[in-house]
Amino acid sequence: MDIEIFWDAANHRGDIAVLNGDLATDHDIKTAILISLFSDRRAEDDDPLPDASSSKRGWWGDALGGAGEGRRIGSRLWLLAREKQLAEVVAKAREYGQEALLWLVQDGVVDSVQVDVQIVRQGWLGLGVTVTRPKTAPARYRFDFAWSNINQGRM
C-alpha cells in the first residue's frame, strides 16, 4: 500500500491525497507512475540544460545507488521545459517518458508500458500512459502540463 498521489489537473501537478483527515492510500500504480514521470531525473552529461544554470538536478539517493544498479529515479522531461513545440520535442518527450517507466517492466510490476505524447494546445503537452498487467484490463492515465516558455514568446 502506498500514500496516494493524484494528478491535480486544475493546477497541473501531483499532490498528496487526504481522506477524512488522514493521508489517503492506494494499491494502484498511479503513484509510481506520477513519481517516475514528474520527479527530475539527473541529466546525462551530454544533455543540453534548459537554462543558464549548471544544475543537472536529480534525486540525491541515485548517487548512493538507491534505485538499483545503474538506475535513476524520475524522468528527464524537465529538460524540455523551454523547448519549442516541435515534432522532435514530442518524440523526445515520448522517449523520456518510456525511459522513466521502464523500471515497471524490468521489475515485473507490469507486462508493458506505452507512452503516447501529443501537443494538446498551445503551450501544453499531454502524456498518455497505458500499462498492461496479467489478467487485468489495461490501465490508462492522462497527464497534461504546461511548457514553461508559454509566456516568454519562444514558441
Side-chain angles (χ1 to χ4, degrees), residues 9 11 26 59 64 84 93 109 114 126 131 138 145 147:
N11 294 302
D26 185 353
W59 181 53
L64 304 174
K84 294 182 180 181
V109 176
Q114 179 182 340
V131 294
F145 61 97
W147 261 301

Side-chain angles (χ1 to χ4, degrees), residues 2 10-11 19 21 23 28 30 43 45 52 61 64 67 70 73 82-83 133 141 143 151-152:
D2 293 318
N11 294 302
L19 181 64
L23 292 175
D28 200 2
K30 176 182 61 177
D45 289 337
L64 304 174
I73 299 292
R82 297 182 55 91
E83 293 288 338
R133 295 180 273 191
Y141 304 93
F143 312 103
N151 295 322
Q152 298 177 17

Side-chain angles (χ1 to χ4, degrees), residues 8-101:
D8 180 352
N11 294 302
H12 314 291
R13 66 176 185 224
D15 205 347
I16 295 173
V18 177
L19 181 64
N20 298 326
D22 290 324
L23 292 175
T25 57
D26 185 353
H27 288 288
D28 200 2
I29 62 169
K30 176 182 61 177
T31 296
I33 291 171
L34 281 165
I35 290 169
S36 296
L37 289 174
F38 299 111
S39 295
D40 294 348
R41 176 183 161 180
R42 185 164 178 82
E44 300 292 341
D45 289 337
D46 60 346
D47 283 333
L49 300 176
D51 56 33
S53 79
S54 60
S55 175
K56 292 186 176 193
R57 299 190 187 180
W59 181 53
W60 63 267
D62 286 344
L64 304 174
E69 195 66 35
R71 284 201 198 160
R72 296 187 199 161
I73 299 292
S75 78
R76 294 186 290 159
L77 287 168
W78 67 273
L79 292 169
L80 305 177
R82 297 182 55 91
E83 293 288 338
K84 294 182 180 181
Q85 290 181 287
L86 302 171
E88 304 84 55
V89 176
V90 170
K92 186 64 78 174
R94 183 177 300 109
E95 175 188 330
Y96 290 168
Q98 285 287 155
E99 174 185 70
L101 299 172

